[in-house]
Amino acid sequence: MPIAPACNYILYNVLMKGPKMMRRLFLLLLMLPSLLLAQPLQRVAPEEVGMDSRHLLYADDALNEAIANGEIPGAVLAVVRHGKMAYLKAYGNRQVYPTVEPMTTSTIFDMASCSKSMSTAISVMILAERGKLRMLDPVERYIPGFENWKSEDGKVKQTIRIQDLMTHSSGLPPYGPTEELIKKYGSPSPEGLLEYICHVKRDFRPKTDFQYSCLNFITLQHIVEKVSGQSLSDFARENIFDVLGMHYTDYLPCAPDAGGVWQNTCDPVWASLMPEGQDWRSLVAPTTKEKDGSVLRGQVHDPLAHYLNGGISGNAGVFSCADDIAILCAALQNGGEWNGHRILAPLTVKTMRTVPRAVLPLGRALGWDSYSDYASNNGDIFSATTYGHTGFTGTNIVIDPENDTSVILLVNAVHPEEGRSSMVRLRSLISNVVAASIRKDGPLWTEETYNAHWFKRYREFMYDAPIKADDIVMLGNSLTEGGGEWSELGWKNVRNRGIVGDVIEGITRRLHQILPGHPRKIYLLSGANDISHDLSTDSIVTLMSQCIDRIRRESPDTQVYLQSLLPINESFHRYKRLEGKTAQVPEINARLEQLAREKGIRYVDLFPLFVEKGTNSLRTDLTTDGLHLNREGYKIWAKKLRTVR
């Protein structure tokens, strides 16, 4: 929730609901200082951080194909580079059963095993920084009765240490028999689950093998809680999520009611930020369909985390969204600090992503995966220092410190049921696309190339609703942008894609925001700014030809309408770089008309409608500055286009 609505929400409830709301409102007031600091990462165009947005469309293709094939219901993809959000898109639906709900970039996901890295591992490292524990400490130091490894004959023993849990080299089994444990200990029963872990047979001697195990991180949960004196949920919130302003990230504890139906036992932190009357669960992507026909929504999917640990568990249980995870990734890319708020020291972050010497062949770092057999989500192109983690529900985090880039792919792949597809290949494909989109460390385009307004509009188009097949696109520079929504046209689905100051080359560079939607029509107008940049008529026509060729190549069914340049009027003396260029406009238009014939597209001659009789100058009654049109001018333009077929 933005800050102003949050303040309005407080005022409304104080005035209308009185004492009943005071406790909740007091808590929200306490949160306001952190809310003021908690802003999502700055959104930029990929080119502003050295990435090619046209290449990133291959990620869109891969995700849309997976959705079309019924492999996943939907997804959210976020790319962080240099501490900025370079790409953020939602695809498909977050729910397909029992009703359909479209995916949004603000959707909150069950992060599943990504919780191990996002919460448990970082919590352990925070305690290590504070001198409360060390990686070589025996587990039994914190959990009395925890059995170490011993040989079959009992003659050889070896201590299991915290580092062994963090790197999945402890020898603990991968998982626990949930139903058996429920029968023996009841549900939920964190103590019963811990007792099982303490005494279950170890599968191998510590540090001699790698075996991914949820039991490792459930054990770490108990160590964090023993050392800190807080629940894992409270410790992570206080020391990670609140510090960074991740206010849509939380554990969702649950327990059965008197009738045996599992219910959330308290609201998540974002419940207080919801609009009045909106259930906090509405933001959450559901997971599996239950036996009674309902879908699991707002309770952790993992059985041990759910039924034994009641939603707060070291192996799973965190719920989060792309914007919040992006902040965490930005902090890790920045040595543990973001926006002046630190969760870890730089050396700690480096240590976390480094595989300890004792388990070097195994490929697991401290709470993260570097190059084990599970690390295919890193793809094939990112640097050798890349690390990350995945979650069973379909979530994925990949961080490349060398290239200062993170990939966050969030999918509820287990909805409405498990086993429809594997995320293994899709994760790798997306990582490869993102890695290959990196072109340089600095921006590809700067404000020397295009002005600040150009970048602003370019970013708006990135996050705007996609162009569709029945859309009509008005494409051009300030003259097009000044037409607003082109309401005078009387057409449906008119999309304004004009940008003040744009040139033909700039229009061509941003066609990838338009052509994948294969719009019905494109009305193209550009050239005035090219003239002001002293381009020759030949150069302008050549650039326009290249632009048209690309439109026809990438969207062959789109009808292209090439519009003439409008006249200019130098008597206003507003645009010095256009002085002496009046005669070039009809010269260019003659060449554009010829180009339209050669390309077999419709030419729309606007010039005669706006010119002073007997001159080549723009009518003074239709302009505000000798270049741009007033409202009456746009009415004339729109009337002309309505006659064009």
Side-chain angles (χ1 to χ4, degrees):
M1 175 184 287
I3 302 307
C7 295
N8 291 337
Y9 174 76
I10 293 172
L11 180 61
Y12 169 82
N13 282 285
V14 168
L15 293 175
M16 303 299 294
K17 297 193 175 182
K20 292 183 179 180
M21 290 296 295
M22 290 308 296
R23 182 176 181 275
R24 186 175 179 184
L25 295 174
F26 177 72
L27 292 173
L28 188 53
L29 283 167
L30 290 177
M31 290 172 58
L32 271 179
S34 58
L35 281 171
L36 291 168
L37 293 171
Q39 299 296 323
L41 297 186
Q42 178 188 354
R43 295 188 183 184
V44 298
E47 284 77 11
E48 292 178 86
V49 288
M51 306 180 81
D52 183 348
S53 58
R54 189 178 182 189
H55 190 90
L56 286 167
L57 293 180
Y58 289 117
D60 294 5
D61 292 343
L63 291 169
N64 287 326
E65 182 179 349
I67 293 167
N69 292 339
E71 298 171 14
I72 60 174
V76 174
L77 172 62
V79 178
V80 179
R81 191 154 201 252
H82 300 332
K84 298 175 181 179
M85 184 74 83
Y87 207 66
L88 178 62
K89 283 193 177 182
Y91 311 81
N93 300 298
R94 68 180 169 205
Q95 178 172 293
V96 296
Y97 172 89
T99 58
V100 175
E101 294 180 16
M103 186 67 77
T104 67
T105 56
S106 60
T107 297
I108 295 170
F109 288 80
D110 178 344
M111 295 304 297
S113 285
C114 286
S115 306
K116 294 179 172 74
S117 301
M118 293 175 62
S119 175
T120 312
I122 294 177
S123 295
V124 170
M125 299 308 292
I126 289 172
L127 292 173
E129 284 190 340
R130 296 174 183 175
K132 300 296 185 181
L133 56 78
R134 62 178 188 145
M135 294 301 106
L136 295 183
D137 279 346
V139 175
E140 61 184 339
R141 178 186 180 93
Y142 304 99
I143 303 178
F146 183 90
E147 294 185 15
N148 292 303
W149 176 86
K150 58 183 178 182
S151 61
E152 292 291 337
D153 59 11
K155 294 181 179 180
V156 182
K157 298 180 181 181
Q158 185 166 325
T159 301
I160 298 176
R161 304 181 185 277
I162 290 178
Q163 184 184 87
D164 303 327
L165 302 176
M166 293 278 275
T167 58
H168 294 283
S169 60
S170 69
L172 286 176
Y175 210 70
T178 307
E179 293 185 7
E180 292 180 23
L181 295 175
I182 292 173
K183 289 179 182 178
K184 181 175 181 179
Y185 297 111
S187 177
S189 180
E191 300 81 8
L193 177 55
L194 180 60
E195 180 180 315
Y196 167 79
I197 293 171
C198 284
H199 304 297
V200 68
K201 183 180 182 300
R202 282 53 175 139
D203 289 341
F204 54 82
R205 187 172 181 169
K207 297 182 180 64
T208 62
D209 201 355
F210 156 70
Q211 179 170 264
Y212 184 82
S213 169
C214 286
L215 304 188
N216 285 322
F217 276 75
I218 294 172
T219 308
L220 287 168
Q221 170 193 358
H222 286 276
I223 294 175
V224 169
E225 294 177 343
K226 177 70 175 292
V227 174
S228 69
Q230 297 177 277
S231 70
L232 176 61
S233 175
D234 289 344
F235 186 86
R237 164 124 319 270
E238 182 179 316
N239 294 279
I240 306 170
F241 309 146
D242 276 351
V243 174
L244 294 178
M246 298 168 62
H247 293 306
Y248 291 86
T249 303
D250 210 349
Y251 287 88
L252 302 181
C254 54
D257 61 18
V261 178
W262 282 77
Q263 306 284 353
N264 292 100
T265 55
C266 65
D267 289 342
V269 66
W270 68 83
S272 60
L273 306 178
M274 298 293 291
E276 181 69 15
Q278 184 175 344
D279 186 357
W280 59 262
R281 294 171 187 81
S282 64
L283 291 181
V284 179
T287 52
T288 51
K289 181 168 61 175
E290 302 288 83
K291 293 179 180 179
D292 63 1
S294 64
V295 289
L296 195 62
R297 189 169 195 169
Q299 295 178 28
V300 63
H301 174 270
D302 180 86
L304 286 181
H306 192 156
Y307 298 110
L308 272 300
N309 272 347
I312 301 175
S313 194
N315 69 312
V318 172
F319 285 73
S320 192
C321 65
D323 272 316
D324 274 13
I325 303 166
I327 292 172
L328 178 62
C329 289
L332 294 174
Q333 290 175 206
N334 190 45
E337 178 184 358
W338 181 78
N339 199 25
H341 301 278
R342 181 171 295 283
I343 57 169
L344 292 170
L347 289 181
T348 309
V349 175
K350 187 174 182 179
T351 298
M352 279 196 81
R353 67 177 188 242
T354 303
V355 178
R357 287 191 295 269
V359 292
L360 204 58
L362 306 181
R364 297 293 298 207
L366 298 176
W368 297 89
D369 196 356
S370 183
Y371 50 84
S372 81
D373 291 342
Y374 283 58
S376 63
N377 60 309
N378 293 351
D380 312 300
I381 302 173
F382 277 126
S383 76
T385 60
T386 300
Y387 62 104
H389 213 285
T390 63
F392 182 81
T393 52
T395 55
N396 178 47
I397 301 172
V398 173
I399 304 174
D400 181 353
E402 184 174 318
N403 291 294
D404 197 12
T405 304
S406 296
V407 181
I408 301 157
L409 178 61
L410 305 178
V411 180
N412 54 335
V414 295
H415 175 73
E417 56 193 17
E418 296 178 20
R420 295 194 308 163
S421 66
S422 169
M423 285 290 297
V424 174
R425 183 173 184 272
L426 183 60
R427 288 167 173 146
S428 185
L429 293 177
I430 300 304
S431 289
N432 282 346
V433 169
V434 174
S437 74
I438 297 172
R439 298 290 187 262
K440 59 187 292 189
D441 195 50
L444 298 184
W445 307 335
T446 67
E447 290 191 8
E448 294 179 1
T449 312
Y450 302 109
N451 60 38
H453 180 77
W454 191 95
F455 278 108
K456 177 178 178 292
R457 290 280 285 175
Y458 185 83
R459 290 191 294 269
E460 288 173 354
F461 299 154
M462 277 182 59
Y463 298 113
D464 198 3
I467 298 292
K468 303 184 298 297
D470 57 349
D471 284 338
I472 297 171
V473 179
M474 301 298 294
L475 181 59
N477 50 33
S478 58
L479 288 165
T480 300
E481 182 178 350
E485 297 306 314
W486 288 89
S487 55
E488 290 91 353
L489 286 173
W491 296 335
K492 294 181 179 179
N493 307 320
V494 179
R495 308 291 293 275
N496 190 330
R497 287 297 181 267
I499 300 183
V500 171
D502 209 356
V503 294
I504 300 172
E505 184 180 22
I507 290 171
T508 305
R509 278 182 164 175
R510 55 188 177 90
L511 285 175
H512 66 275
Q513 297 181 328
I514 298 169
L515 301 183
H518 304 292
R520 182 157 55 98
K521 297 180 179 181
I522 291 178
Y523 288 85
L524 176 61
L525 172 66
S526 186
N529 294 314
D530 299 84
I531 293 174
S532 72
H533 293 174
D534 298 324
L535 267 69
S536 68
T537 297
D538 284 344
S539 296
I540 291 172
V541 174
T542 298
L543 289 170
M544 185 63 77
S545 176
Q546 293 171 352
C547 181
I548 293 168
D549 286 346
R550 184 172 160 198
I551 294 172
R552 301 186 73 187
R553 182 173 62 252
E554 297 182 21
S555 188
D557 294 332
T558 297
Q559 299 175 47
V560 183
Y561 294 79
L562 178 58
Q563 301 174 100
S564 71
L565 274 66
L566 273 63
I568 58 178
N569 192 316
E570 297 182 40
S571 67
F572 284 76
H573 302 293
R574 179 72 179 273
Y575 299 99
K576 299 297 183 182
R577 296 187 64 87
L578 286 175
E579 291 185 3
K581 307 289 180 67
T582 298
Q584 189 180 359
V585 175
E587 176 185 307
I588 293 171
N589 285 339
R591 293 285 301 279
L592 291 179
E593 184 174 12
Q594 179 183 348
L595 177 66
R597 287 196 299 270
E598 293 171 357
K599 300 293 184 185
I601 62 177
R602 186 66 181 268
Y603 179 71
V604 183
D605 193 3
L606 301 173
F607 187 87
L609 305 176
F610 294 94
V611 72
E612 292 276 9
K613 189 174 182 180
T615 74
N616 287 327
S617 294
L618 177 62
R619 287 167 50 183
T620 57
D621 63 318
L622 298 180
T623 183
T624 58
D625 57 7
L627 175 64
H628 299 101
L629 300 179
N630 56 27
R631 202 68 251 165
E632 188 61 32
Y634 281 108
K635 289 180 180 179
I636 294 172
W637 189 348
K639 182 179 179 181
K640 172 66 175 179
L641 294 186
R642 286 197 299 270
T643 67
V644 175
R645 292 290 185 269

